[in-house]
Amino acid sequence: MPEHAADDTATAAPDSWFIYRGTGVPHSDIDELLPPPPPWRVFSEAPADGAPEDRSATPEDHRARTYRPARSVVELINAAIYLRRPVLVTGKPGVGKSTLARSIAYELDLGPLLHWPVNSRSTLSEGLYRYDAIGRLQEANLRDAPGPPHGDRTADIGRYIRLGPLGTALLPRSRPRVLLVDELDKGDLDLPNDLLDVFEEGSYTIPELARLPDEQREVEVFTDDHGPRATIRRGRVVCHAFPIVVITNNGERRFPPAFLRRCVRVDIQPHDSRALAQIVRAQLGEEAVAAAEPVIERFLAKRSRDDIATDQLLNAVYFAMSGVLGDPGGQEAAEGADAHTRERLLEALLRGINAMDPS
């Protein structure tokens, strides 16, 4: 057995607030002990036991509803909307870059956020559309196989094309959609320049549809948001209302000047103590602010040495407010094992993001 495993296991009795006790003894106390989840971790799916579904309480909606950007950020977002230009949002991890896009979509009632998470393998084509050529070929072979007829469904090429988040955002609509291009700095070096042409033209072509004969000039394809199929004419998509594009950047590399000059650039600064208190109030209510003060002080001290996200603060405040370790103010947990446990857990919840951080 490892040395660290012998110091507090087996001999220690489980604390009263434990749900998982590490004893190997089955029990069903979770229904009585587990409190309601934090507001930002309430999901909309109905459980299998038939409990009613609450579609107004999704984590995305809650984050969007309680997000409070600085006035300077609001000003620049409005400028980008007026100018029909993409927004390039820079800031440290956890300051709310992605949540800003969700807030815009939620507040303006522009439908579900279209989300394109970029990685090192992402390409412009992936963001625009995907064509399942192998699936179409397999179904064609199945149609031609001996046996009962399978119909001529393969004539509908649109069944094998699904628009990506960028391609869906550029569909011609009277109102714009909100597109989040998340962490563009993780993508290929050529991707920003590839995006420039699409953003400047507000259009793109699907070659597989452009080559079809005149009698197939209109094709219905699937969209990234799983809504009704969209009609593409002669393989060409031209937007009507330019989407509100929010591009996040963690500052890992520089972008080409031609790309930067076509974006409205927003730099989100880390929240100060007053802004953090406002976030706690919006997420957890007025009664949480007083209990959050010592946690906020510890959070700010840690942030001065390492990257640490605002949602870590909310997790720590929620746990401190839960009462499982005594009074939220700490009076009942000032002595004994509960005080030490509380300290260890808060320290762990506020651990720095950097993997090498030993704290």
Side-chain angles (χ1 to χ4, degrees), residues 23 26 86 90 96 103 114 121 132 136 155 189 193 199 210 230 267 270 277 301 318 333 335:
T23 62
T90 302
S103 175
L114 295 167
R121 300 178 300 278
D132 185 8
R136 191 180 185 212
L189 290 174
N193 282 329
F199 288 153
D267 187 15
Y318 175 82
E335 299 181 88

Side-chain angles (χ1 to χ4, degrees), residues 1 11 38-39 53 105 128 213 268 301 342:
M1 178 181 291
T11 58
E53 180 179 353
L128 292 174
I268 299 183
R342 185 188 190 90

